[in-house]
Amino acid sequence: MTNILYDALIAPHAQNDGVFLVLDDGTQWTYRQFVQRAAQMAHVLHKAGVKPGDRLVVQGPKTAEAIALYGAALQTGAIYLPLNTAYTESEIRYFVDDATPTLVICDPGKLDAMLGMCACKVLTLAKDSTGSLSRAADERPTDFDTVARGSDDLAALLYTSGTTGRSKGAMMSHRNLLSNAVSLTQLWQITVQDRLIHALPIFHTHGLFVALNTSLLAGAEVRFMAGFDAETIIAELPQSTLIMGVPTFYTRLLDDARLTPDLVATMRLFISGSAPLLAETHNAFEARTGHRILERYGMTETNMITSNPYDGERIAGTVGYALPDVEVVITIDGQPAAAGQVGMIEVRGANVFQGYWNMPEKTAEELRDTGFFITGDLGVQTKDGRISIVGRQKDLIISGGYNIYPKEIEDVINDVNGVLETAVFGVPHADFGEAVMAAIVLEDPSFDPDTIAALVEQLLARFKHPRRYIVMDALPRNTMGKVQKNILRTAYGA
Ligand code: MLC
Ligand code: AMP
């Protein structure tokens, strides 16, 4: 029986005694150990009633056990649904209600809250790899009859915030994930000789699929860090060959005087994505290390779309060419634009998702009948197909690689009694690329704006919190009545 992703990424390692994960405390997991642990966890999922196509919600620490759980989800045919560890109870409640999981795995500290909001079974997985999931897995056999899954079956559901303020679950099939993993592994020449520094979270496309699926496919070694820490990365660079990060990784590394050509002598590739890499950062990095960062472009709904070349010229400020099995068109009013003209980036290929969970109308709005997905990013293409992103049509802030949709924050603030209206916008930020700001018009001038911050803190993840609240008499509007966020950005962006 075939299971598209499991057979490609995990099954080949059943007898592989090469190192897969190297953890912060120096512990190593071989590939064989990983396969066996995934099988033990697959038994636990099966016993908990997880059937093919059921959703498995996971909100927990970044550990080797969590990766085994991802493997177990694939092996049992479950739909893996990872959640940002920063999400609040109110945010999680929405995802759980929408996705109706059969099983939730969470940190023991969140158990009571999860039990309070989930109708399903809840198991725990702690930072130190204890918890009810691990305990149950210890008792189980180290092999499991892999459940068959075809190309179109769903492997993952990744929630991505939307311009309407409500998060949408992007349905990723086995084919979506495998096609991208194969393309990227080939394009970036990832092999068993590689050692990847993995400092990204594992609840988003970048850290989970781009970094881990490619490593699994190639059988590479992964220095699996619990989170970003510049000190540890500096220590690991001399033993490593590859790193994938958001631009903040590179600006933070540049702040360290120890970043020199000698330090990175074994490194062959630095990859950046999830947010725009400033040409200034690209150039400074080359001047300091001799390496030209390879910038690529992607989205939750599409996996990776374009990449600068491995062997050819990596040009700062561009995201390179469409991946070999991906089509990109730039459109103006739905029609193909000429080279050099700015338009909407649309994408089609085996990488493009299956639609939004429970949201057929949203899917129809963004995914054309022709198979092209409308990204919301504005771009321009040269005659030979090199793409640059020049802006976004969607109202989106990207902070340290996390997407923040202003509407979601505006909705929370507008609900406060005493607030008339709000405009949330992004301003340049040296560390995170962009930072969130909120301009508020109060109904009652004596109202204490601190009440707003308190509510936002309760309802929204920390990275979405406005860094500043600006009380205004009125929001700037154009003649059509539309709020001019560009004016706010200019006024408060310095
Ligand atoms: C942390 N904070 C953030 C933040 N990350 N605030 C805004 N934006 C962020 N990205 C908060 C913390 O809670 C803390 O709050 C304060 O800011 C300072 O935190 P820090 O210690 O400096 O942050 P750190 O833990 O070092 O995290 C920064 C980071 C992290 C850049 C390493 O955010 C990160 O790993 N980002 C990667 C996100 C990612 O994987 N994106 C990929 C999405 S997939 P306080 O006030 O409580 O101290 C995708 C598709 C594609 O986009 O193309 O890849
Ligand atoms: P997400 O929805 O979290 O997957 O974020 C996807 C968005 O991140 C894209 O639509 C782009 O706006 C942005 N993005 C990803 N990679 C890049 C990049 N290299 N340059 C600019 N923006 C990027």
Side-chain angles (χ1 to χ4, degrees):
M1 274 206 273
T2 53
N3 174 312
I4 301 293
L5 273 171
Y6 185 86
D7 292 352
L9 303 183
I10 302 178
H13 299 302
Q15 317 293 326
N16 179 354
D17 288 318
V19 176
F20 174 30
L21 302 172
V22 181
L23 311 178
D24 287 335
D25 65 1
T27 312
Q28 299 191 347
W29 278 38
T30 65
Y31 271 97
R32 185 198 294 262
Q33 277 175 294
F34 161 70
V35 176
Q36 293 182 348
R37 191 59 176 167
Q40 289 185 305
M41 289 197 177
H43 279 286
V44 180
L45 302 191
H46 184 68
K47 175 118 193 300
V50 175
K51 293 182 293 305
D54 283 0
R55 276 74 59 213
L56 171 71
V57 166
V58 180
Q59 192 200 34
K62 185 182 169 188
T63 60
E65 290 275 273
I67 303 307
L69 179 59
Y70 169 56
L74 294 180
Q75 196 169 16
T76 52
I79 303 177
Y80 186 74
L81 195 174
L83 291 179
N84 192 326
T85 45
Y87 287 148
T88 63
E89 222 176 292
S90 140
E91 289 167 312
I92 297 166
R93 192 180 291 275
Y94 169 81
F95 300 123
V96 169
D97 287 351
D98 192 51
T100 57
T102 304
L103 179 64
V104 171
I105 310 288
C106 69
D107 189 88
K110 297 227 166 120
L111 179 62
D112 288 343
M114 286 291 188
L115 286 170
M117 67 177 101
C118 303
C120 66
K121 199 172 165 88
V122 182
L123 293 174
T124 59
L125 185 57
K127 208 176 187 159
D128 62 1
S129 298
T130 59
S132 52
L133 172 67
S134 301
R135 272 199 307 279
D138 289 344
E139 313 292 317
R140 301 280 152 194
T142 52
D143 57 346
F144 179 86
D145 282 340
T146 304
V147 172
R149 290 276 89 184
S151 297
D152 293 334
D153 286 322
L154 298 187
L157 190 58
L158 258 61
Y159 277 83
T160 160
S161 302
T163 39
T164 52
R166 297 190 65 205
S167 284
K168 301 167 289 183
M171 300 189 284
M172 310 309 301
S173 70
H174 278 247
R175 182 185 27 228
N176 293 153
L177 299 182
L178 184 60
S179 72
N180 220 236
V182 170
S183 296
L184 298 177
T185 306
Q186 287 172 355
L187 194 70
W188 298 337
Q189 302 186 12
I190 302 175
T191 71
V192 69
Q193 307 297 332
D194 275 306
R195 185 178 196 260
L196 169 79
I197 298 179
H198 191 302
L200 289 159
I202 51 168
F203 40 71
H204 282 311
T205 298
H206 197 165
L208 184 61
F209 302 141
V210 183
L212 278 174
N213 286 355
T214 53
S215 298
L216 283 164
L217 199 60
E221 183 174 318
V222 177
R223 175 60 183 89
F224 197 64
M225 293 171 54
F228 178 89
D229 175 49
E231 200 61 37
T232 309
I233 292 184
I234 294 283
E236 293 296 340
L237 282 168
Q239 288 89 253
S240 305
T241 61
L242 181 63
I243 186 169
M244 298 181 194
V246 295
T248 302
F249 281 27
Y250 296 107
T251 51
R252 288 187 181 182
L253 287 175
L254 277 167
D255 281 343
D256 196 306
R258 290 170 292 177
L259 183 74
T260 61
D262 281 350
L263 189 83
V264 300
T266 60
M267 289 292 290
R268 68 171 185 87
L269 188 58
F270 294 82
I271 300 174
S272 178
S274 308
L277 180 76
L278 295 180
E280 183 190 314
T281 310
H282 190 282
N283 295 335
F285 202 85
E286 184 180 16
R288 278 280 285 288
T289 65
H291 280 272
R292 291 181 74 76
I293 298 172
L294 182 153
E295 186 172 8
R296 80 345 173 242
Y297 158 61
M299 262 185 99
T300 301
E301 289 91 332
T302 61
N303 295 294
M304 298 307 100
I305 303 169
T306 73
S307 170
N308 267 280
Y310 184 75
D311 286 323
E313 210 185 344
R314 299 176 198 162
I315 301 184
T318 80
V319 291
Y321 301 95
L323 299 185
D325 55 350
V326 175
E327 283 174 82
V328 173
V329 286
I330 310 278
T331 61
I332 298 173
D333 296 330
Q335 298 306 311
Q341 278 188 307
V342 172
M344 175 63 67
I345 301 177
E346 299 194 23
V347 52
R348 179 165 72 178
N351 56 320
V352 174
F353 76 140
Q354 306 301 298
Y356 295 114
W357 180 260
N358 282 341
M359 289 187 178
E361 314 79 33
K362 270 273 143 217
T363 303
E365 272 171 35
E366 295 178 27
L367 195 55
R368 294 185 194 278
D369 292 342
T370 55
F372 274 99
F373 174 69
I374 305 166
T375 61
D377 293 311
L378 298 173
V380 61
Q381 204 166 13
T382 58
K383 275 206 180 74
D384 79 333
R386 183 183 283 276
I387 291 157
S388 304
I389 299 173
V390 298
R392 300 171 206 137
Q393 196 176 67
K394 52 194 173 192
D395 190 14
L396 165 70
I397 300 164
I398 305 184
S399 171
Y402 287 138
N403 279 12
I404 300 165
Y405 279 87
K407 179 78 167 60
E408 186 183 7
I409 305 165
E410 289 163 3
D411 283 351
V412 168
I413 301 178
N414 287 336
D415 266 356
V416 177
N417 274 331
V419 171
L420 186 65
E421 57 176 352
T422 313
V424 169
F425 57 99
V427 294
H429 188 274
D431 188 29
F432 289 135
E434 283 184 281
V436 181
M437 307 276 271
I440 307 164
V441 181
L442 298 174
E443 232 158 22
D444 169 5
S446 65
F447 181 77
D448 178 5
D450 288 349
T451 323
I452 300 168
L455 186 76
V456 167
E457 272 164 40
Q458 187 198 325
L459 296 180
L460 299 176
R462 170 76 188 112
F463 67 91
K464 300 177 190 170
H465 299 179
R467 299 285 152 148
R468 202 176 142 197
Y469 293 86
I470 304 144
V471 177
M472 304 184 79
D473 292 335
L475 298 177
R477 289 181 186 280
N478 65 14
T479 46
M480 309 288 285
K482 192 172 181 306
V483 176
Q484 292 173 295
K485 292 194 178 178
N486 54 331
I487 292 184
L488 293 169
R489 273 190 281 271
T490 310
Y492 298 100

